[in-house]
Amino acid sequence: MQYSKLKISADATSRLRSLRQRTGVTPNLLCRMALMISLEEGSLKGVPVPDEEGSEFNSYTLTGEYGALFGALTRWVEEGPSPKTPLSNEQLLAFLRGHIHRGIRTLSVRAKSPRDILRLVPETA
């Protein structure tokens, strides 16, 4: 998965601002958490792609050194173990944005304080 910048939806940007105020966690880390929460929920197939009217992130700021891992996990969830047709880079990026959008919606309900963020991390981590 290759990209230099990724724009998220206006709704996700608004929710990120609120989450940052409540938790003190930076938007890029919140996006990483949101992505993992959404990937855990499964595929986005059939869900409309969110708009690109919100914040813009540089690839390294968004995913850090784990960009390839996030791309592989997104590909695995969306394609399954043996895809007939692999997703294009554009499709994969759309799914990445979609997962971030869905995960931020979930986080905005679950995380009301920094303590709530800690509860999302398993004790064995």
Side-chain angles (χ1 to χ4, degrees), residues 40-83:
E40 232 179 7
E41 292 178 23
S43 177
L44 288 174
K45 297 218 167 132
V47 175
V49 177
D51 66 66
E52 294 182 67
E53 303 299 319
S55 295
E56 181 176 73
F57 292 92
N58 290 323
S59 64
Y60 193 79
T61 302
L62 184 61
T63 58
E65 61 193 53
Y66 305 107
L69 176 63
F70 287 127
L73 289 171
T74 303
R75 186 175 294 281
W76 175 263
V77 167
E78 294 302 332
E79 290 180 343
S82 53

Side-chain angles (χ1 to χ4, degrees), residues 4-52:
S4 60
K5 294 181 187 268
L6 186 81
K7 289 186 95 174
I8 62 172
S9 69
D11 179 56
T13 299
S14 174
R15 290 175 190 258
L16 273 178
R17 266 190 229 109
S18 176
L19 278 165
R20 182 177 187 172
Q21 290 172 344
R22 292 189 313 228
T23 65
V25 179
T26 61
N28 60 319
L29 294 178
L30 289 167
C31 284
R32 291 179 195 185
M33 287 184 242
L35 176 59
M36 295 308 294
I37 287 169
S38 180
L39 289 173
E40 232 179 7
E41 292 178 23
S43 177
L44 288 174
K45 297 218 167 132
V47 175
V49 177
D51 66 66
E52 294 182 67

Side-chain angles (χ1 to χ4, degrees), residues 90-103:
E90 291 77 24
Q91 291 171 314
L92 193 58
L93 288 173
F95 280 121
L96 181 73
R97 281 189 9 260
H99 279 290
I100 289 171
H101 181 82
R102 179 169 76 178

